[in-house]
Amino acid sequence: MPTPHYGQPRYRVIAEELRKRIESGLIPPGALLPAESTLAVEFEAARGTIRQAIAVLRDDGLVTTEHGRGTYAITRPHGRHSNRPSQHIRESEIAADSDLAFIFNIEVGAPLIVQESVIRDGGRTEEVIRAYRAPRSDQ
Amino acid sequence: MPTPHYGQPRYRVIAEELRKRIESGLIPPGALLPAESTLAVEFEAARGTIRQAIAVLRDDGLVTTEHGRGTYAITRPHGRHSNRPSQHIRESEIAADSDLAFIFNIEVGAPLIVQESVIRDGGRTEEVIRAYRAPRSDQ
DNA sequence: AGAAATTTGTCCGTATGTATC
DNA sequence: AGATACATACGGACAAATTTC
């Protein structure tokens, strides 16, 4: 599927998705974003497109990127954005269902960490993001 | 020589060559592959191209790579690592369970769009991200 | 213990060719 | 024609982990 850019161009859509992850706290302040190549796989986009998306966030002061290092979420949302969507973040441990067990290649019932953030705009729920990962083994 | 990608791209050709060396035992199980920079000279390719080739092998479970160390041929081709390319289950429509229905303040069973991203590093699943949102009203 | 060398990881900028809207 | 996007490829530089001296 080459290039259907209905409405918004891809790089802007990707930028918005990353923005949500940062503003919702899913990518906490100071944390490293996945590498450009990783994001390229994730979003099924070319690296150039990812770089364009990150450039948008950098322009907005949401991230900084260091040569040879990576791109960080900014420590503090400097500007007071009044329209900042409200957010809930909670982390909990769950048992993997068959679906997740398959993806992670673990046993059904094995523990997984799930981080859920809810993005609200006014009274309306805009998006719910759930991030599953394996528990840290190194404590 | 710029970038004529007629037929097979170079990184695939290189990947196939390396695969032969491993499967033939020329590079025995557990042995270190030559450094990326060495391979770059050998194949007269940029390091990035070599890294792409190695990524193919890593995806196929033929090698593992360690930062600062190098890339090893896998000790044991533990069974047939079934070809699992599905990295990104795109977007699908689901029916809201009670949990999501509550968060979104909609009825149980109402349609929701879920976008699932699977982040892999080599053969290992690092994270699964699921973003739920209400279907767009237009269309 | 410490410095240097090696090696992988990541980003930067650029370029070509193709394809779609 | 121009903007967007993809896949591929190059060369350079800095960062970080590991090994070697």
Side-chain angles (χ1 to χ4, degrees):
Chain A
M1 296 60 169
T3 317
H5 62 284
Y6 309 124
Q8 289 249 307
R10 289 269 282 150
Y11 74 92
R12 269 184 211 286
V13 175
I14 293 171
E16 282 320 297
E17 176 60 31
L18 290 176
R19 181 198 304 280
K20 278 178 199 162
R21 292 185 190 177
I22 292 169
E23 289 184 342
S24 71
L26 197 146
I27 297 175
L32 214 50
L33 270 66
E36 292 171 354
S37 52
T38 305
L39 292 172
V41 174
E42 232 197 282
F43 287 105
E44 292 181 333
R47 197 188 132 221
T49 308
I50 300 295
R51 284 175 60 74
Q52 258 182 300
I54 289 179
V56 171
L57 302 181
R58 198 165 33 231
D59 261 18
D60 290 358
L62 259 156
V63 300
T64 52
T65 137
E66 285 174 39
H67 192 171
R69 254 250 179 99
T71 298
Y72 296 90
I74 277 297
T75 316
R76 254 266 134 255
H78 58 198
R80 208 60 206 150
H81 273 324
S82 52
N83 77 334
R84 187 157 103 262
S86 66
Q87 62 212 7
H88 290 165
I89 311 161
R90 71 161 213 270
E91 195 174 281
S92 53
E93 190 174 301
I94 59 152
D97 61 20
S98 60
D99 203 14
L100 288 168
F102 178 71
I103 298 175
F104 278 94
N105 191 32
I106 56 177
E107 288 172 22
V108 174
L112 280 177
I113 304 294
V114 57
Q115 191 181 347
E116 180 182 273
S117 44
V118 179
I119 299 171
R120 291 207 177 85
D121 190 13
R124 194 173 146 282
T125 297
E126 272 205 340
E127 195 171 20
V128 174
I129 300 177
R130 289 177 180 161
Y132 302 86
R133 61 181 79 86
R136 298 231 36 93
S137 44
D138 60 287
Q139 293 84 23
Chain B
M1 288 40 150
T3 317
H5 54 285
Y6 311 125
Q8 284 250 310
R10 304 195 55 191
Y11 75 91
R12 268 185 221 284
V13 175
I14 294 171
E16 282 320 298
E17 176 58 33
L18 291 176
R19 181 198 304 279
K20 277 178 202 160
R21 293 186 190 178
I22 292 170
E23 289 182 342
S24 71
L26 198 147
I27 298 176
L32 216 50
L33 268 68
E36 292 170 355
S37 52
T38 305
L39 292 172
V41 174
E42 242 196 83
F43 288 102
E44 292 183 331
R47 198 185 137 211
T49 307
I50 300 295
R51 285 178 60 78
Q52 254 183 301
I54 290 178
V56 171
L57 302 181
R58 197 165 35 231
D59 258 21
D60 289 358
L62 260 153
V63 300
T64 53
T65 300
E66 286 174 38
H67 191 173
R69 262 240 179 63
T71 298
Y72 297 90
I74 277 297
T75 316
R76 259 255 144 257
H78 65 84
R80 257 302 96 194
H81 198 285
S82 62
N83 198 7
R84 279 263 302 129
S86 73
Q87 301 167 327
H88 189 97
I89 309 175
R90 258 290 188 236
E91 254 185 28
S92 54
E93 192 174 299
I94 59 155
D97 60 20
S98 59
D99 202 13
L100 287 168
F102 175 74
I103 298 174
F104 277 94
N105 191 31
I106 57 177
E107 288 172 22
V108 173
L112 281 177
I113 304 294
V114 57
Q115 183 194 333
E116 180 179 274
S117 312
V118 177
I119 301 174
R120 287 213 177 84
D121 188 18
R124 195 174 146 282
T125 297
E126 280 211 332
E127 195 172 18
V128 173
I129 296 177
R130 289 178 179 160
Y132 303 84
R133 61 181 81 85
R136 304 220 322 246
S137 36
D138 65 290
Q139 183 297 107

